[in-house]
Amino acid sequence: MYSLHEGSGLFLLAVLAGLQIAAEGRGTPPCRPGFSEDVYKVVVPDITEKGQPLFNVRFVNCGRGGLVRFECSNPSDFRIEADGVVYAARSIQHSTLPALLLLIKASDTATQQQWVTQVMLTPSTHSSQQVQEVAVPPVISKDLKEITFPSRNTDSQLKRMKRDWVIPPINVPENSRGPFPQELVRIRSDHDKNRSLRYSVTGPGADQPPTGIFIIDPISGELSVNKPLDREHISNFHLRAHAVDLNGNQVENPIDIVINVIDMNDNRPEFTHQIWNGTVPEGSKPGTFVMTVTSVDKDDPKTANGMLRYKILSQNPESPTSNMFTINNKTGGIITVAAGLDREKVPQYTLIIQATDMEGNPMYGLSNTATAVIRVTDINDNPPEFTAETFFGEVPENRVNVIVANLTVTDKDQPNTPAWNAVYKITGGDPTGRFSVPTDPTTNEGLVTVVKPIDYEISRTYVLTVEARNEVPLARGIHSPRQSTATVSIRVIDVNESPYFEPNPKLVKLEEGMMPESSLTTFTAQDPDRFMQQTIRYSKLSDPANWLRIDPNTGRITTIAILDRESPFVKNSLYNATFLASDSGVPPASGTGTLQIYLLDINDNAPKVFPQEAEICEKPEPNAINITALDGDLNPNAGPFAFELAHRPPDVRRNWTITRISGDYAQMSLKISFLETGIYEIPIIITDSGNLPMSNTSYLRIKVCQCDINGDCTDQQHIMAAGLGTGAIIAILLCIIILLILVLLFVVWMKRRDKERQAKQLLIDPEDDVRDNILKYDEEGGGEEDQDYDLSQLQQPDTIEPDAIKPVGIRRLDERPLHPEPQYPMRSAAPHPGDIGDFINEGLKAADNDPTAPPYDSLLVFDYEGSGSTAGSLSSLNSSSSGGDQDYDYLNDWGPRFRKLADMYGGSDD
């Protein structure tokens, strides 16, 4: 028998004992899965809250390992979890209800096997007296005293008890201040009367993390809590109690203990956002939803600790009233409660929202605040209004896409929104649609624009009525005022317009062949400027054939040449001429007009034979040539044609015959049996069908040739013209002239090449200096040892020392002894052989103009030609006789260069 005790304000729980093992020496019966009892009796509180745990049922699985699913017969009021704990599905007041029978069904998901047990639920008010008699807490019925652990019988057979106790959960408040350890419940077994037992608990909070929260006295079985609990961290603990003997043998089946942590109000509400943003249209009616604010509380929401209430602490600004909004104290939904929201006056409201737990109890509840910013959105409750009643503008006539006037409006709605953007419409004064008023997207102004040309001569002023609206309609109940309509007065400016011809083009029909100085028509232009006194002058702009003349004042058109329909400037009998009309305005304006002359055909062109050349066999058979006629005129001045052979020369009609095939075709054939090969010109008289017929004698060139059996000429020579044409002759002459020029250039080039070759043979190599080399010419004689020259010394005279070149002992007496050798200017290198004459002249000129050169009456020193010469030095030559013995008068005949020398040697002793 189990007993329950109460102490220290806490319930003491009697632990149910399990089945005992059969008597010693007997075998263990097989385990049968199922509920531990067929009927459970449970006492429940008078009032249960939703989610409150009530009892648990124990199911023996016998280690099957399959998943067991529990179901309740009254799921609307109770729910059962997978661990067998039954909870209240809603708040129930049991005191008003009789005892309730609840069925619990367990199903094996693998084998589909089912087990059913019954639970008798009795409110605590119905069994309080019985509870006192059995000394059990209110949650245990009086019948629990009959539930005992199974024990071994004398026959050592295991018997199953009919019913078992269901232990209600143990409630422990969180945040307890101790002292600790604090006793919660005492666990006892009936077997402790005759033996010593040891008690222990297992599960999270005991021997599993978090460890050390619950401890049990192994001897007394007192279960205690060792530290404060936090429901927000762990809301309940599931422990299992064990009872063993001193040898560690289990004497009781383990029982499940559920410890619920009772919530305390230790957490303030927390808003999910510190600042909430919402919008509401201006002019909204009371009751319009704005937004919802949300706050959370970590405390148990099923208790008053977690039940929040909202309210508005303040509103800024308090216009037009201080209570423009209200909040649902449970849901946090904010709505409007007063009318008068006007964005143009108050664009934004700021509300301070408070959330308080304990169902809003200001004395015991904890609270927190957040800010709600409500922006009043714009609606079209303000129509656009013009800044003036009348606007003015002016525009030159005939101008389009010109802005005449800018219409300005004001709108109190939010800028750059459809409720602010203006749309302009012309409601009067423009029946022909010559104006439009688009909107400037930047300034919102109306731009009065001309879209069709305006004629000053038709209307000098326009008065438009323009209405301004928004892109969206006005709000209900708002009407457009008078200021939304304005008047636009537009003045048209007269400008000089171009004259215009009427009609344009102008068509006249005339017969061709009209003689010069004939009057055709008068082509005049109109001046649209009726209010300007102007004159118009005419001129010819285009006359391809130069046939016409126009009077500059009257516009009368006369001919200056014969009009010919067959002219190449006439297309399809139509001739076009363009004329210009210019007024006397400032600046002058001009317009053009086209005169179309349709030329009627007359018979002014004689027909001609076609083709003009043909071939025919020298024998009559087969012999036939089809011919027709070409006539520049049109029908009826053209075909049908009449073909006839000319009477002269007489052999034409004797050799040939012509036969008419149709109105436009005839056939030529040989009249005789044989005609010699050659070219024959046959005169044919062709007459057209004009009213005054015209005839023409055309010549048909026929080549008579030998033919093969197919009638084709065997002679490949074709009929050619008797003489070459002018173009062919010119081409031939040009070719001959070009050929002669090429030949002449080739001859000149050859001659020049020969001259250069000869010059190279006569002269030294251009790279050698002429002054430092001896030119070897052809020798005509011999006898002297003039072939043994040391040319190496002559080619490099600069390498010889000056003293060795001109030793002092061999100088002439009349040579300048006191002077150093003069430094002659450097001469240019030897030129090209072709310019040897120029080289000599330049050297002579340089010598004459050299200021350092010795005078003519002194000894000229020449370049040294090398030592070892067999001729010796010229300075060592001595005269065999004195100068007086010689006659030097002949030097006077040698020119001015030798005249000084003649005076020196041929004169007297003076």
Side-chain angles (χ1 to χ4, degrees):
M1 189 70 181
Y2 292 90
S3 62
L4 300 177
H5 304 277
E6 180 178 1
S8 302
L10 299 175
F11 290 103
L12 297 179
L13 177 63
V15 180
L16 302 178
L19 296 176
Q20 298 295 324
I21 304 300
E24 296 182 1
R26 300 294 299 269
T28 302
C31 179
R32 296 180 180 179
F35 290 98
S36 60
E37 287 294 326
D38 295 331
V39 178
Y40 293 90
K41 292 184 179 182
V42 178
V43 177
V44 295
D46 295 339
I47 300 176
T48 58
E49 296 292 337
K50 178 181 178 182
Q52 179 178 346
L54 301 178
F55 60 94
N56 67 333
V57 293
R58 180 170 175 267
F59 184 84
V60 180
N61 198 18
C62 295
R64 294 164 56 90
L67 179 62
V68 178
R69 185 180 61 192
F70 297 98
E71 294 180 16
C72 178
S73 62
N74 189 3
S76 61
D77 295 334
F78 304 93
R79 61 182 176 87
I80 184 169
E81 297 295 336
D83 56 358
V85 179
V86 179
Y87 296 84
R90 62 183 181 89
S91 299
I92 304 174
Q93 185 175 358
H94 297 278
S95 60
T96 60
L97 300 176
L100 179 65
L101 177 63
L102 189 66
L103 297 180
I104 303 297
K105 182 176 68 173
S107 302
D108 191 330
T109 59
T111 63
Q112 304 299 325
Q113 188 177 359
Q114 297 181 353
W115 300 269
V116 178
T117 187
Q118 298 179 1
V119 179
M120 295 295 299
L121 299 177
T122 304
S124 59
T125 56
H126 295 172
S127 58
S128 59
Q129 183 179 359
Q130 300 168 352
V131 170
Q132 294 175 359
E133 291 177 357
V134 297
V136 295
V139 295
I140 303 298
S141 67
K142 67 173 184 176
D143 296 331
L144 293 180
K145 60 185 178 60
E146 298 178 359
I147 300 176
T148 60
F149 287 100
S151 59
R152 296 182 177 89
N153 296 338
T154 58
D155 54 0
S156 300
Q157 291 184 354
L158 185 63
K159 292 184 179 180
R160 184 179 179 184
M161 306 302 293
K162 293 184 178 180
R163 51 187 177 272
D164 196 1
W165 284 350
V166 178
I167 303 174
I170 301 172
N171 297 326
V172 180
E174 67 173 334
N175 302 326
S176 176
R177 296 184 179 180
F180 297 103
Q182 185 177 4
E183 185 179 294
L184 299 179
V185 69
R186 178 174 295 164
I187 301 174
R188 294 183 60 192
S189 174
D190 288 342
H191 293 282
D192 62 357
K193 296 178 180 180
N194 53 14
R195 70 177 76 177
S196 296
L197 301 180
R198 294 294 183 264
Y199 301 96
S200 64
V201 292
T202 59
D207 62 341
Q208 299 178 16
T211 60
I213 296 179
F214 299 97
I215 59 175
I216 188 171
D217 190 314
I219 299 176
S220 64
E222 294 180 356
L223 180 65
S224 304
V225 60
N226 203 30
K227 60 178 67 174
L229 303 180
D230 187 359
R231 190 203 67 86
E232 287 74 35
H233 182 57
I234 300 176
S235 61
N236 55 68
F237 295 88
H238 292 266
L239 303 178
R240 175 163 288 191
H242 305 270
V244 297
D245 57 16
L246 295 178
N247 296 324
N249 298 319
Q250 180 177 325
V251 297
E252 299 285 359
N253 290 330
I255 62 172
D256 293 327
I257 301 175
V258 177
I259 300 176
N260 290 330
V261 182
I262 304 302
D263 183 46
M264 305 296 290
N265 190 19
D266 58 343
N267 290 281
R268 291 180 178 274
E270 296 290 341
F271 284 92
T272 55
H273 301 287
Q274 194 59 33
I275 297 179
W276 296 79
N277 295 299
T279 59
V280 60
E282 63 175 331
S284 297
K285 295 180 180 180
T288 303
F289 175 78
V290 180
M291 62 189 299
T292 298
V293 296
T294 304
S295 179
V296 294
D297 196 318
K298 296 180 181 180
D299 293 327
D300 190 356
K302 300 174 184 178
T303 64
N305 299 332
M307 296 181 181
L308 306 181
R309 296 295 183 265
Y310 301 91
K311 74 174 181 178
I312 298 176
L313 296 182
S314 64
Q315 169 190 310
N316 183 34
E318 298 180 352
S319 174
T321 64
S322 60
N323 297 318
M324 295 295 296
F325 304 93
T326 186
I327 187 170
N328 188 309
N329 63 347
K330 293 184 178 181
T331 64
I334 300 175
I335 60 175
T336 60
V337 293
L341 291 174
D342 191 349
R343 188 202 65 85
E344 287 73 32
K345 295 180 179 179
V346 181
Q348 181 175 290
Y349 289 90
T350 301
L351 307 180
I352 303 300
I353 309 298
Q354 184 185 57
T356 306
D357 57 15
M358 298 299 293
E359 297 182 300
N361 190 324
M363 183 176 295
Y364 303 105
L366 302 177
S367 62
N368 210 338
T369 59
T371 302
V373 178
I374 302 175
R375 184 172 57 88
V376 181
T377 58
D378 186 37
I379 64 172
N380 194 13
D381 58 344
N382 293 281
E385 297 181 0
F386 286 99
T387 58
E389 294 184 358
T390 304
F391 295 88
F392 299 92
E394 59 182 19
V395 60
E397 63 174 333
N398 300 322
R399 296 283 299 276
V400 294
N401 298 325
V402 178
I403 298 177
V404 179
N406 290 29
L407 311 182
T408 55
V409 295
T410 58
D411 196 321
K412 297 179 181 179
D413 292 322
Q414 186 174 357
N416 300 316
T417 61
W420 179 82
N421 297 333
V423 178
Y424 300 89
K425 180 181 179 182
I426 300 176
T427 59
D430 186 23
T432 58
R434 299 185 180 275
F435 299 91
S436 68
V437 189
T439 304
D440 189 324
T442 304
T443 62
N444 209 31
E445 296 180 350
L447 308 177
V448 181
T449 308
V450 181
V451 295
K452 293 182 180 179
I454 300 175
D455 193 352
Y456 175 83
E457 285 70 28
I458 296 178
S459 179
R460 300 185 183 182
T461 58
Y462 288 87
V463 179
L464 309 180
T465 302
V466 180
E467 180 183 9
R469 297 180 181 178
N470 292 120
E471 292 181 355
V472 295
L474 291 172
R476 182 177 298 178
I478 306 298
H479 302 283
S480 298
R482 182 178 58 84
Q483 291 81 1
S484 296
T485 302
T487 301
V488 183
S489 179
I490 302 173
R491 184 175 67 89
V492 182
I493 302 174
D494 190 16
V495 297
N496 187 23
E497 300 177 76
S498 301
Y500 63 94
F501 288 88
E502 187 67 29
N504 189 15
K506 183 176 183 180
L507 178 65
V508 295
K509 293 185 178 181
L510 301 171
E511 284 189 353
E512 64 172 329
M514 182 173 289
M515 300 305 294
E517 302 301 331
S518 300
S519 177
L520 296 184
T521 184
T522 300
F523 197 23
T524 58
Q526 305 295 327
D527 192 350
D529 299 316
R530 294 180 298 170
F531 302 98
M532 296 182 181
Q533 301 299 326
Q534 298 180 143
T535 59
I536 298 177
R537 294 186 63 82
Y538 303 93
S539 60
K540 186 171 62 174
L541 188 63
S542 174
D543 184 12
N546 198 22
W547 286 347
L548 307 176
R549 179 177 60 238
I550 187 170
D551 189 286
N553 298 318
T554 63
R556 177 170 293 277
I557 298 175
T558 56
T559 62
I560 58 176
I562 298 176
L563 305 184
D564 185 8
R565 193 197 65 83
E566 289 73 32
S567 171
F569 300 103
V570 178
K571 305 297 181 184
N572 298 325
S573 303
L574 202 63
Y575 180 76
N576 293 324
T578 306
F579 298 92
L580 183 69
S582 304
D583 59 19
S584 58
V586 179
S590 61
T592 60
T594 301
L595 179 65
Q596 294 182 336
I597 304 175
Y598 188 83
L599 296 175
L600 302 176
D601 186 39
I602 62 174
N603 194 13
D604 58 346
N605 291 278
K608 297 179 181 180
V609 67
F610 182 82
Q612 296 181 354
E613 297 178 353
E615 291 181 352
I616 193 171
C617 296
E618 57 187 1
K619 292 182 180 181
E621 295 295 337
N623 268 338
I625 300 173
N626 293 332
I627 62 173
T628 184
L630 297 179
D631 195 328
D633 296 325
L634 301 177
N635 291 327
N637 295 323
F641 301 101
F643 299 91
E644 181 184 3
L645 294 174
H647 295 276
R648 299 294 180 92
D651 57 348
V652 172
R653 286 178 172 257
R654 183 173 61 248
N655 297 337
W656 303 90
T657 180
I658 187 169
T659 304
R660 183 175 180 180
I661 300 176
S662 63
D664 295 334
Y665 291 90
Q667 192 175 73
M668 285 283 298
S669 61
L670 276 175
K671 191 175 183 182
I672 60 179
S673 60
F674 176 80
L675 187 63
E676 293 183 358
T677 301
I679 297 176
Y680 298 88
E681 291 188 357
I682 311 303
I684 301 175
I685 302 174
I686 305 175
T687 305
D688 60 21
S689 300
N691 190 12
L692 295 176
M694 293 191 66
S695 299
N696 181 34
T697 301
S698 297
Y699 288 89
L700 176 61
R701 296 173 60 84
I702 299 178
K703 176 185 178 182
V704 179
C705 60
Q706 297 178 358
C707 297
D708 55 14
I709 58 176
N710 297 325
D712 298 328
C713 285
T714 57
D715 186 5
Q716 298 300 326
Q717 182 181 1
H718 296 282
I719 301 175
M720 300 178 61
L724 294 175
T726 304
I729 294 175
I730 294 175
I732 293 174
L733 291 177
L734 288 176
C735 292
I736 294 174
I737 293 173
I738 293 173
L739 186 59
L740 291 176
I741 292 174
L742 293 176
V743 172
L744 181 60
L745 292 175
F746 181 74
V747 171
V748 172
W749 179 76
M750 290 297 294
K751 288 185 177 181
R752 179 166 183 150
R753 185 179 177 185
D754 292 341
K755 289 183 179 180
E756 291 179 355
R757 186 181 294 110
Q758 293 175 3
K760 287 182 179 179
Q761 294 176 356
L762 294 175
L763 299 177
I764 65 173
D765 190 57
E767 296 180 356
D768 297 332
D769 193 345
V770 182
R771 298 170 299 170
D772 301 335
N773 293 277
I774 297 178
L775 299 180
K776 181 178 180 181
Y777 296 93
D778 293 338
E779 294 181 347
E780 297 182 356
E784 294 183 359
E785 297 178 355
D786 53 358
Q787 299 297 326
D788 298 329
Y789 297 123
D790 187 4
L791 298 180
S792 62
Q793 297 298 325
L794 297 177
Q795 291 175 353
Q796 295 179 346
D798 295 338
T799 58
I800 304 175
E801 293 297 331
D803 296 338
I805 296 175
K806 293 184 180 182
V808 180
I810 62 174
R811 290 182 180 271
R812 292 187 55 179
L813 297 177
D814 55 351
E815 190 176 358
R816 297 181 183 180
L818 300 178
H819 273 267
E821 292 296 330
Q823 300 295 325
Y824 298 106
M826 295 297 295
R827 299 177 182 175
S828 61
H832 191 274
D835 300 330
I836 191 63
D838 297 337
F839 172 76
I840 295 175
N841 293 329
E842 290 178 1
L844 181 60
K845 183 177 180 182
D848 292 341
N849 296 329
D850 189 4
T852 62
Y856 291 116
D857 55 351
S858 62
L859 179 63
L860 296 178
V861 180
F862 293 93
D863 288 341
Y864 181 70
E865 294 183 354
S867 62
S869 175
T870 55
S873 177
L874 295 178
S875 61
S876 61
L877 297 178
N878 294 322
S879 178
S880 59
S881 61
S882 64
D885 297 336
Q886 301 291 331
D887 186 8
Y888 296 100
D889 293 336
Y890 63 90
L891 295 177
N892 291 324
D893 300 333
W894 288 11
R897 292 180 179 272
F898 296 92
R899 193 168 298 162
K900 187 67 175 177
L901 187 60
D903 294 341
M904 292 174 58
Y905 289 93
S908 61
D909 295 337
D910 297 334

